Amino acid sequence: AQSVSQHNHHVILSEAASLELGCNYSYGGTVNLFWYVQYPGQHLQLLLKYFSGDPLVKGIKGFEAEFIKSKFSFNLRKPSVQWSDTAEYFCAVIYGGSQGNLIFGKGTKLSVKP
Amino acid sequence: DAGVTQSPTHLIKTRGQHVTLRCSPISGHKSVSWYQQVLGQGPQFIFQYYEKEERGRGNFPDRFSARQFPNYSSELNVNALLLGDSALYLCASSRSSNTGELFFGEGSRLTVL
């Protein structure tokens, strides 16, 4: 079955620490990949996306993600986190031909200590 | 510009009842999708509508139905509510039907007692 796995349920970091959140998807065909973020009390919003081309994509607020096709992975990174990055992060995938059916991972809650 | 708006924001129902959730997309967006988010899980796809036609359906029972109106707003209906239907129901809109760039509303939190 098509699925998305996020390896970490809850990550706690101090400010200025580096961040990497893992995401793996199950299918080997054409995929479009996304990271969504939900800040406390706010709605889900798009952080970055990958459709094709350069596998290293940059999003808002200094986040980036790398698509590694051979590993079916799309990990999210940020060199130096801030307290305002405290949020829940969701990896999501559209598999080829499935229209707008986004399949989400379970999410990773990031807590950044000031 | 107004974002995606959903109503009601919170509601409590009892088992066996029916519920209707409403969603207004961002102006200019013709696609509306519905997702169910259970506590501790990511959103799960229920339906997508584009230009008033159903374009996709997730793995949900027939108790779940939806429709899209000429102004692109949408309703999600759930019949014969079960305790397990308690969740946050998210509506998302987009310009086209084949994009994952979705704009989400705040959600409608349904509690079934």
Side-chain angles (χ1 to χ4, degrees), chain B residues 47-104:
Chain B
F47 285 110
Q48 183 194 32
Y49 277 78
Y50 179 75
E51 288 280 20
K52 302 180 288 297
E53 291 186 359
E54 182 182 302
R55 288 299 186 94
R57 173 186 286 254
N59 188 24
F60 280 81
D62 291 344
R63 299 185 296 108
F64 288 76
S65 63
R67 55 180 176 168
Q68 187 177 32
F69 298 100
N71 66 353
Y72 302 111
S73 67
S74 177
E75 281 183 356
L76 175 69
N77 294 283
V78 187
N79 292 323
L81 285 167
L82 303 174
L83 296 179
D85 295 331
S86 295
L88 181 67
Y89 289 85
L90 297 169
C91 175
S93 74
S94 58
R95 291 190 181 277
S96 64
S97 65
N98 60 352
T99 176
E101 295 184 65
L102 304 181
F103 294 79
F104 284 87

Side-chain angles (χ1 to χ4, degrees), chain B residues 7-29:
Chain B
S7 63
T9 54
H10 295 81
L11 67 167
I12 300 173
K13 295 284 188 177
T14 56
R15 282 180 298 174
Q17 285 190 313
H18 162 91
V19 68
T20 298
L21 308 177
R22 296 177 175 83
C23 172
S24 293
I26 291 172
S27 177
H29 286 192

Side-chain angles (χ1 to χ4, degrees), chain B residues 32-46:
Chain B
V32 170
S33 300
W34 288 94
Y35 287 79
Q36 181 196 64
Q37 187 175 15
V38 175
L39 196 63
Q41 302 289 321
Q44 187 174 359
F45 175 73
I46 310 175

Side-chain angles (χ1 to χ4, degrees), chain A:
Chain A
Q2 298 168 344
S3 64
V4 177
S5 298
Q6 291 185 241
H7 313 301
N8 309 100
H9 177 64
H10 191 186
V11 173
I12 302 173
L13 296 173
S14 297
E15 276 193 315
S18 64
L19 170 72
E20 182 161 3
L21 301 182
C23 172
N24 286 91
Y25 61 95
S26 63
Y27 180 65
T30 302
V31 292
N32 292 337
L33 298 155
F34 306 83
W35 277 96
Y36 278 82
V37 60
Q38 187 167 27
Y39 297 102
Q42 297 187 25
H43 57 272
L44 268 172
Q45 57 188 283
L46 183 65
L47 193 59
L48 50 76
K49 62 183 185 261
Y50 173 79
F51 290 167
S52 62
D54 188 345
L56 185 62
V57 293
K58 296 189 183 298
I60 59 173
K61 303 186 180 184
F63 285 91
E64 63 180 30
E66 184 176 13
F67 170 52
I68 303 179
K69 189 174 182 179
S70 61
K71 295 184 178 181
F72 304 128
S73 70
F74 190 56
N75 291 354
L76 181 70
R77 300 194 293 245
K78 186 171 184 178
S80 176
V81 295
Q82 301 173 320
W83 176 79
S84 59
D85 294 324
T86 295
E88 190 155 18
Y89 294 82
F90 293 92
C91 182
V93 179
I94 286 184
Y95 292 92
S98 62
Q99 294 286 317
N101 177 3
L102 264 180
I103 297 178
F104 283 85
K106 291 185 177 182
T108 297
K109 184 177 179 180
L110 172 65
S111 299
V112 180
K113 298 183 293 184

